[in-house]
Amino acid sequence: MATEKVKTDVIDADAHVVESERVWDYLEVAEEKFRPTLVAEPEHPERQHWVLDGENIGPKFPSPNEKESAAHVKRFGREVGTPLAARELSDVTQRLKHLDELGIDVQVLYNSLWLRSLTRRPDAEIALCWSCNRWLADVWKLGENRLRWTCVVPALTPAEAIPQIRFAKEHGAVGVCMRPFERDKLMTDPSYYPIYDEAQRLDIPVTVHIANGSPELFKLMTNESGGGFSTFRIPTVTACYALIMSEIPRVFPKLRWGFIETSSQWVPWVVHEAVRRSLGSEHPVATNCLREFNIFVSTQTDDDFQYIISYAGEGNLVIGTDYGHGDTSSELNAISRFKAMEGLSSEVKRKILSDNPRAFYGI
């Protein structure tokens, strides 16, 4: 489908939508029984959780208020505050205006709710994915081709993901979201090959945003000291290592992969381990495996770029703001801070801000 040409000097490779009740207005009449509802915590009414079939399926992603945002900037130097209507995309024009203020030409939108598993019911998962994808397709239509997006897919029934991927590709999507773990399976499991085959055929990348679709693993990794590092980042890094060591890069040689919101500090460790552990095997891994296997990784402004580039190369790194969230990855001013960094050439900065995300997402 032909799309309008837009300026792509700066691409925010990791931004978010925070789902509201509006998302479920795209359920078909017969699917209304799957509509999640928001329930507030009695003692903390500002905290809300989505409930389906009487089960808590995850929080409405908390976003900082003005006071919390100001405190965050003072403590960490990172801006995180976003207008409610912009992060929930009830006002697309406001979102675009905010992009202009931030110096961003195009944002790639990721979900907030699908960071964890929503349901064990295949029929419910199919319906919820369709509803979210239809909604984001309409957001794209309103967004002047500046709000590209990544589709969610029903991982419980991979064959049912195919029509959703096709629909998404035709309506502005630039990625297919896969969680590192789904129930008792790693994303490298052959049962997901139909998804990867269709993604390769359509020339749309698989985007592995930090997430954890295994309730058992999520519970096991949840602890006071680890936080999101244990529950989300570690599984995502593990999935990248598994991908590198698997047959998948040879089975789907043209498919692009992205590991998003993990920072990139782990890349040298994972590449080093993959090279060392594959020595003498039928398919030894090379140091340039990210480039060879079409793997892209998102960075943060406090990453050690010189060290990382020595393993990842200059052509496989992107950067994002984590727009809409307020956690350790969030940095609305990431673009301006990255542009002002010393020690990186203007050519490398251009690659990370523009060339690489255009190549990865096919923008």
Side-chain angles (χ1 to χ4, degrees):
M1 181 178 179
T3 55
E4 178 189 356
K5 294 291 184 180
V6 298
K7 184 180 178 184
T8 57
D9 289 348
V10 174
I11 298 175
D12 182 355
D14 174 27
H16 283 273
V17 296
V18 175
E19 294 86 356
S20 67
E21 293 92 337
R22 178 187 305 268
V23 179
W24 317 123
D25 291 343
Y26 288 78
L27 289 167
E28 301 286 356
V29 174
E31 299 168 339
E32 277 291 328
K33 58 187 176 183
F34 302 127
R35 178 183 285 265
T37 56
L38 275 176
V39 177
E41 294 183 11
E43 296 182 3
H44 301 281
E46 72 281 2
R47 301 177 187 172
Q48 296 178 304
H49 295 263
W50 291 105
V51 174
L52 177 63
D53 293 332
E55 181 181 356
N56 181 351
I57 62 173
K60 181 179 181 182
F61 206 96
S63 298
N65 56 35
E66 290 185 9
K67 183 179 180 180
E68 292 168 334
S69 298
H72 198 97
V73 173
K74 184 176 181 180
R75 182 177 180 185
F76 301 108
R78 293 185 282 109
E79 298 176 12
V80 295
T82 53
L84 175 65
R87 65 176 175 264
E88 293 188 358
L89 286 170
S90 59
D91 188 338
V92 173
T93 301
Q94 186 180 37
R95 179 73 165 245
L96 296 180
K97 181 180 179 182
H98 201 189
L99 295 195
D100 292 336
E101 295 170 358
L102 295 171
I104 296 169
D105 297 308
V106 175
Q107 270 192 337
V108 178
L109 307 179
Y110 285 85
N111 67 84
S112 296
L113 183 57
W114 270 262
L115 302 185
R116 294 163 59 179
S117 176
L118 270 62
T119 177
R120 294 179 181 272
R121 298 179 57 182
D123 53 350
E125 185 184 46
I126 293 168
L128 295 177
C129 287
W130 265 122
S131 190
C132 183
N133 290 333
R134 294 184 189 115
W135 170 61
L136 284 171
D138 272 2
V139 167
W140 167 68
K141 291 177 184 177
L142 296 171
E144 301 174 6
N145 210 32
R146 297 178 64 191
L147 298 176
R148 309 306 293 268
W149 56 286
T150 57
C151 69
V152 292
V153 293
L156 296 174
T157 49
E160 295 296 328
I162 307 306
Q164 299 208 30
I165 296 172
R166 292 173 184 169
F167 169 85
K169 173 71 175 182
E170 293 171 355
H171 294 81
V174 293
V176 178
C177 284
M178 286 293 295
R179 287 181 290 236
F181 286 82
E182 291 289 349
R183 299 294 169 176
D184 60 346
K185 296 177 181 177
L186 192 58
M187 56 163 280
T188 51
D189 192 275
S191 63
Y192 303 122
Y193 282 16
I195 292 176
Y196 304 152
D197 184 60
E198 186 67 11
Q200 179 175 259
R201 189 186 72 81
L202 293 174
D203 191 31
I204 187 172
V206 172
T207 55
V208 189
H209 188 282
I210 57 168
N212 190 337
S214 169
E216 294 78 13
L217 180 61
F218 188 91
K219 183 178 180 180
L220 178 66
M221 300 289 278
T222 299
N223 58 76
E224 292 182 359
S225 59
F229 178 80
S230 298
T231 52
F232 292 128
R233 292 201 177 199
I234 292 298
T236 307
V237 172
T238 298
C240 184
Y241 173 79
L243 173 67
I244 291 171
M245 298 294 282
S246 75
E247 67 171 359
I248 291 179
R250 295 182 297 279
V251 176
F252 305 101
K254 296 182 180 180
L255 185 54
R256 301 185 300 280
W257 306 84
F259 289 84
I260 309 300
E261 205 179 309
T262 54
S263 90
S264 57
Q265 287 293 113
W266 52 273
V267 168
W269 175 44
V270 165
V271 171
H272 177 80
E273 286 291 320
V275 170
R276 184 182 180 92
R277 292 172 182 270
S278 66
L279 286 174
S281 68
E282 182 180 359
H283 299 286
V285 174
T287 304
N288 68 343
C289 58
L290 264 62
R291 178 167 59 84
E292 182 182 355
F293 296 159
N294 306 314
I295 297 173
F296 292 74
V297 177
S298 67
T299 64
Q300 295 175 177
T301 58
D302 56 355
D303 285 350
D304 186 343
F305 283 91
Q306 298 292 351
Y307 180 45
I308 292 158
I309 287 173
S310 70
Y311 280 85
E314 299 175 354
N316 292 73
L317 300 176
V318 299
I319 195 166
T321 62
D322 197 37
Y323 187 105
H325 289 182
D327 51 37
T328 58
S329 300
S330 307
E331 188 174 11
L332 282 183
N333 52 339
I335 303 303
S336 59
R337 292 183 71 176
F338 180 73
K339 286 182 174 181
M341 284 179 57
E342 297 181 356
L344 288 178
S345 69
S346 58
E347 180 183 4
V348 170
K349 290 180 180 179
R350 188 197 72 242
K351 288 180 178 179
I352 293 174
L353 287 170
S354 181
D355 296 352
N356 297 348
R358 279 193 289 111
F360 172 51
Y361 288 117
I363 293 175

